[in-house]
Amino acid sequence: MFIVIVFAPLLSACSDEPAVQGKPAKTPQSGSGLDRQWLEIHSSIKPAQWVLDWRRPKERSASDEEMQRVQKHLSAAHNIYRESERMIANRAVQLEQMLAKLNVQESAANILEDISSVAGEIGQTEGFGAVSQHYYILRSGKYDREAALALLKQRYGTRTVKSTGD
């Protein structure tokens, strides 16, 4: 019983962090108020804002065209992959960071749009994180962006049942 009481808070705290490839290193950003590389569960920053400005937070209005575009893709990804917009935003930013280590420059906003566009069905069984990991593996191999997205679309795109002609 003692072990359960001691470890329960630790275990519950771990369940909602990005899981594509471990936790990114903490790097404080001077003056920004952000001390982590992912959007915390109780953060006042909106996920769309995080995707766009995770490096250098700035004020954006709700009518900002980029914010609206990213919000549209976050909503679509949430509906398709059944993950929270916050977690999807975190995974997109994390994938941007991982690709940058491979000298592949893709923004989290573009990654979000691309990964959201490959799935063809609402309620996809694979999550955004799994599809993102697959994309990372393809990009770290021999595939460029277009080829990697085409392969993902083949695997995760709309599945149709062919008529047997009855």
Side-chain angles (χ1 to χ4, degrees):
M1 184 65 160
F2 173 74
I3 292 173
V4 171
I5 293 170
V6 171
F7 289 106
L10 294 173
L11 294 175
S12 67
C14 296
S15 65
D16 206 33
E17 295 301 327
V20 173
Q21 187 175 352
K23 294 180 185 177
K26 293 181 184 180
T27 54
Q29 299 178 3
S30 60
S32 71
L34 298 174
D35 63 350
R36 301 190 85 151
Q37 289 293 323
W38 58 85
L39 186 59
E40 297 289 340
I41 195 164
H42 299 295
S43 176
S44 62
I45 300 169
K46 294 182 188 256
Q49 176 85 36
W50 178 249
V51 168
L52 289 169
D53 302 322
W54 67 273
R55 282 193 179 105
R56 290 175 283 308
K58 66 180 187 178
E59 292 295 318
R60 287 184 187 259
S61 70
S63 63
D64 181 278
E65 287 182 24
E66 284 185 283
M67 282 276 285
Q68 290 178 348
R69 180 179 70 89
V70 170
Q71 183 56 53
K72 176 182 136 191
H73 294 299
L74 275 171
S75 295
H78 168 68
N79 288 332
I80 293 166
Y81 295 109
R82 299 178 299 193
E83 292 182 36
S84 74
E85 290 183 6
R86 183 188 66 80
M87 286 305 297
I88 291 167
N90 279 333
R91 293 185 195 289
V93 168
Q94 187 179 34
L95 185 53
E96 177 184 335
Q97 295 167 347
M98 291 167 57
L99 289 171
K101 291 178 183 175
L102 301 173
N103 294 320
V104 174
Q105 302 304 313
E106 291 187 36
S107 72
N110 289 340
I111 290 167
L112 170 65
E113 182 175 355
D114 288 344
I115 301 296
S116 297
S117 71
V118 297
E121 298 176 2
I122 301 295
Q124 183 73 251
T125 55
E126 294 83 0
F128 188 88
V131 178
S132 296
Q133 183 68 30
H134 192 175
Y135 181 72
Y136 174 78
I137 291 167
L138 292 170
R139 290 305 312 270
S140 64
K142 61 184 176 184
Y143 297 100
D144 66 9
R145 179 181 165 272
E146 290 77 21
L149 291 172
L151 287 168
L152 291 177
K153 187 125 183 117
Q154 284 177 353
R155 178 167 180 146
Y156 302 110
T158 302
R159 295 163 180 96
T160 58
V161 178
K162 293 184 179 181
S163 173
T164 58
D166 291 326

